[in-house]
């Protein structure tokens, strides 16, 4: 790996993590010179990192995103469509080993720490998306992971009601090979996430 590529990855992860852990709150303007000084590198990898984070939806016009109602609706519309379809596919194609991992995610999310719940929540959704066996769909969701993380953090930290119970219902529909129900439940689950985030946004 070239020095330039290594610097880009380092800068990208540094800025992304600061946004995701709240050190760079919504609305913060990113100054290339300052970030380059902090990391001891040129402005080129910083600029490339900011461009990538803009593509991922975490930065808009060199400022940390402050999601509007329209941003929330747009992102969740994509997730509802894709993850709903992925749940239908999972009901047909998910193997026994993956079903066991899905069930374990629910178990961890009921009793784990906040960090463990976050990881289990992510894995639950990732396993279902991967079960679609559709590389284009998987790639689209993968490129949205950073912005999805922010919303996932919101529903976990603010303890959205019935979150894990809904995961249980989706799992049981997939286990029963009921594609119609699995798709319907996933769409309702993500709509409830959206409604919860919109409610917090308006407060």
């Amino acid at each position: 790996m070239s020095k330039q590529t290594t610097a880009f990855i380092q800068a990208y992860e540094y800025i992304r993590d600061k946004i995701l852990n709240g050190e760079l709150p919504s609305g913060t303007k990113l100054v290339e010179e300052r970030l380059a000084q902090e990391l001891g590198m040129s402005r080129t990898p910083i600029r490339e990192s900011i461009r990538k984070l803009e593509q991922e939806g975490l930065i808009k016009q060199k400022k940390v995103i402050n999601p509007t109602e329209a941003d929330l609706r747009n992102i969740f519309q994509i997730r509802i469509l894709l993850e709903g379809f992925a749940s239908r596919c999972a009901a047909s194609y998910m193997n026994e080993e993956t079903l066991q991992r899905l069930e374990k995610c629910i178990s961890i999310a009921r009793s784990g720490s906040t960090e463990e719940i976050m990881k289990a929540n992510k894995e639950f959704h990732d396993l279902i998306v991967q079960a679609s066996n559709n590389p284009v769909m998987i790639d689209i969701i993968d490129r949205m992971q950073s912005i999805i993380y922010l919303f996932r953090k919101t529903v976990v930290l603010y303890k959205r009601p019935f979150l894990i119970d809904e995961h249980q219902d989706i799992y049981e529909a997939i286990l029963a090979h009921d594609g119609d129900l699995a798709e319907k439940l996933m769409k309702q689950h993500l709509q409830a996430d959206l409604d919860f985030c919109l409610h917090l946004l308006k407060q």
Side-chain angles (χ1 to χ4, degrees):
M1 208 180 278
S2 71
K3 278 187 179 178
Q4 196 170 355
T5 307
T6 307
F8 161 69
I9 292 168
Q10 186 187 346
Y12 164 75
E13 290 180 347
Y14 177 81
I15 300 166
R16 180 200 62 194
D17 291 350
K18 275 185 169 288
I19 293 170
L20 296 181
N21 68 23
E23 284 183 60
L24 289 172
S26 296
T28 303
K29 185 170 174 56
L30 297 176
V31 181
E32 287 178 13
E33 296 94 325
R34 189 182 303 152
L35 288 164
Q37 271 186 335
E38 280 177 33
L39 286 163
M41 59 177 66
S42 74
R43 287 170 56 182
T44 303
I46 303 293
R47 194 176 302 120
E48 288 171 357
S49 303
I50 290 171
R51 196 177 298 126
K52 180 169 170 58
L53 289 162
E54 281 177 337
Q55 289 168 353
E56 291 182 4
L58 283 185
I59 295 172
K60 206 172 188 176
Q61 295 170 334
K62 295 201 175 177
K63 286 185 180 177
V64 178
I65 190 171
N66 192 0
T68 63
E69 184 174 327
D71 292 329
L72 277 167
R73 289 188 188 282
N74 290 340
I75 290 156
F76 272 94
Q77 276 170 5
I78 298 296
R79 288 192 69 195
I80 287 166
L81 282 169
L82 296 186
E83 294 194 42
F85 180 74
S87 300
R88 174 182 286 277
C89 295
S92 297
Y93 305 127
M94 190 173 276
N95 61 37
E96 188 62 37
E97 184 193 342
T98 311
L99 280 164
Q100 287 173 6
R101 287 173 66 192
L102 209 60
E103 188 178 27
K104 190 179 177 188
C105 289
I106 296 165
S107 174
I108 291 168
R110 290 200 186 281
S111 57
S113 65
T114 301
E115 192 175 325
E116 286 169 339
I117 294 167
M118 287 284 295
K119 284 176 76 173
N121 193 341
K122 179 182 186 301
E123 186 177 2
F124 181 88
H125 284 270
D126 286 351
L127 288 171
I128 291 171
V129 170
Q130 286 156 17
S132 70
N133 294 322
N134 184 322
V136 178
M137 185 186 298
I138 292 165
D139 183 57
I140 290 168
I141 292 289
D142 194 48
R143 280 186 276 130
M144 294 171 68
Q145 283 296 355
S146 293
I147 195 76
I148 289 171
Y149 176 92
L150 287 182
F151 301 137
R152 186 172 286 135
K153 192 173 173 183
T154 300
V155 298
V156 170
L157 291 181
Y158 288 90
K159 296 182 167 56
R160 176 170 84 71
F162 311 117
L163 184 75
I164 310 307
D165 292 337
E166 290 163 19
H167 279 194
Q168 181 76 43
D169 292 341
I170 294 164
Y171 161 74
E172 286 173 7
I174 292 170
L175 186 65
H177 305 297
D178 189 337
D180 286 344
L181 183 59
E183 180 172 15
K184 179 185 170 188
L185 290 171
M186 178 60 85
K187 286 181 171 181
Q188 288 174 347
H189 171 66
L190 291 171
Q191 183 65 49
D193 276 359
L194 171 59
D195 293 342
F196 187 77
C197 289
L198 286 171
H199 173 72
L200 290 176
L201 190 68
K202 289 170 183 172
Q203 284 186 338

